[in-house]
Amino acid sequence: MDVLCRRDEDFRSFVHNDWLPLIHLHCQYSYENPSRFSSANNHLIAEYAGLFIASVKWPFKESPKWIRYAQKGLEKEIVLQHSENGINREEAAEYIQFITDFFLLSFVVGKNAGLPFSNAYASRLRQIFDYIFHFLDGKGNFPKYGDEDDGKCFVSELTEHNNNNFQSILASGAILFGDAGWKAKSGGFDRKNELLFGREGKRIFDSLPDVELQESSRFYENEGHFICRKTDGKKEVYFHFDAAPLGYLSI
């Protein structure tokens, strides 16, 4: 964008006179009108993440205040809205990949900008990745339960063959936390992770050893999720039983 602004007077005028003022208004509205009640779940997370990332990127006069507010909100919500095993309390499978991306993007942006999140945040994020790893079957398919919204935080390439965002998230987790098992189920290093981590991310991903997964059943009794699986070579029998209450807060 900065290169285009230097080259194109019309584009520079659009950015400074139209686009950035609109972004500022979005930030101001998010700060002054946080989602509450039935929307205080994925809506609230998206608002905090958008405000944090925009405030890090653009030096509005309110940016320092907005960064502190949004980062504090993300730190709070990643704990409140997930169990200790990383299971999202809204109980909707599609929303897991959606909101995980908001937490992931904020984590990466904060790290790169010298505004790191806490160890507790990183630990809960790691647990979320681990649950995603276990609840995907051997081919990366996920069990569908709850509200199937299909929302995406962003789409890096419309023609991308691997559009399984759960697998893409596992690739991100493998890079951040060095987990070779997550790499094995990730489907590879995709465009989204190239945008997030660049060449260094690709180097880290490729340096992780290739491992053969030996998966077993996984029972989350407190959360009401029971994943039963039996594997025989490349064949797998997979069963996901969800005994949890659907919804979070007033829903």
Side-chain angles (χ1 to χ4, degrees):
M1 186 184 74
D2 293 336
V3 173
L4 284 173
C5 283
R6 289 195 296 269
R7 293 178 178 176
D8 191 319
E9 177 61 35
D10 289 337
F11 185 73
R12 180 165 61 249
S13 176
F14 162 73
V15 167
H16 292 290
N17 297 326
D18 297 287
W19 194 39
L20 286 179
L22 284 173
I23 292 174
H24 181 267
L25 285 175
H26 275 287
C27 291
Q28 187 175 40
Y29 189 87
S30 291
Y31 177 73
E32 295 177 353
N33 300 275
S35 289
R36 303 182 188 279
F37 310 111
S38 66
S39 294
N41 36 61
N42 59 79
H43 293 229
L44 187 60
I45 292 168
E47 291 161 8
Y48 283 141
L51 182 59
F52 176 75
I53 294 168
S55 299
V56 169
K57 171 61 180 175
W58 290 289
F60 302 123
K61 66 178 181 179
E62 304 95 337
S63 287
K65 175 179 68 177
W66 289 345
I67 288 171
R68 291 192 298 271
Y69 162 83
Q71 193 167 31
K72 181 180 179 180
L74 288 166
E75 290 270 6
K76 176 182 177 181
E77 295 304 322
I78 198 172
V79 174
L80 281 181
Q81 299 201 37
H82 295 88
S83 73
E84 292 182 357
N85 288 312
I87 299 179
N88 181 247
R89 299 188 192 281
E90 194 170 348
E91 289 295 329
E94 276 283 0
Y95 274 119
I96 294 173
Q97 58 81 26
F98 187 42
I99 65 168
T100 300
D101 259 351
F102 287 118
F103 286 121
L104 166 64
L105 290 171
S106 300
F107 185 77
V108 173
V109 168
K111 181 179 180 181
N112 291 342
L115 298 164
F117 284 78
S118 69
N119 291 335
Y121 184 102
S123 177
R124 191 57 55 96
L125 185 62
R126 184 168 190 158
Q127 289 303 113
I128 295 170
F129 290 144
D130 197 55
Y131 175 67
I132 290 174
F133 171 78
H134 289 292
F135 103 129
L136 297 182
D137 72 9
K139 294 183 178 179
N141 302 304
F142 66 94
K144 297 185 178 182
Y145 58 85
D147 183 8
E148 190 172 344
D149 183 82
D150 290 0
K152 295 290 189 297
C153 187
F154 69 86
V155 179
S156 59
E157 186 176 344
L158 293 177
T159 59
E160 193 168 11
H161 294 297
N162 178 20
N163 58 1
N164 186 330
N165 194 41
F166 284 105
Q167 290 184 302
S168 179
I169 287 171
L170 286 182
S172 301
I175 294 166
L176 286 172
F177 298 106
D179 194 300
W182 298 349
K183 173 188 175 181
K185 199 183 275 191
S186 71
F189 187 86
D190 61 359
R191 178 63 57 84
K192 174 186 161 190
N193 282 290
E194 181 181 353
L195 292 171
L196 281 176
F197 300 106
R199 293 179 180 177
E200 177 62 13
K202 181 67 162 59
R203 185 196 66 77
I204 294 172
F205 185 85
D206 289 342
S207 70
L208 295 173
D210 295 323
V211 297
E212 184 174 343
L213 297 178
Q214 300 290 334
E215 297 191 80
S216 59
S217 298
R218 195 86 171 184
F219 303 144
Y220 301 92
E221 295 185 19
N222 292 335
E223 296 91 341
H225 285 267
F226 304 87
I227 300 171
C228 308
R229 57 171 22 111
K230 182 178 181 180
T231 58
D232 182 10
K234 293 185 178 181
K235 296 180 180 180
E236 179 184 47
V237 176
Y238 174 101
F239 177 77
H240 173 262
F241 184 80
D242 182 1
L246 299 179
Y248 180 60
L249 299 176
S250 64
I251 57 172

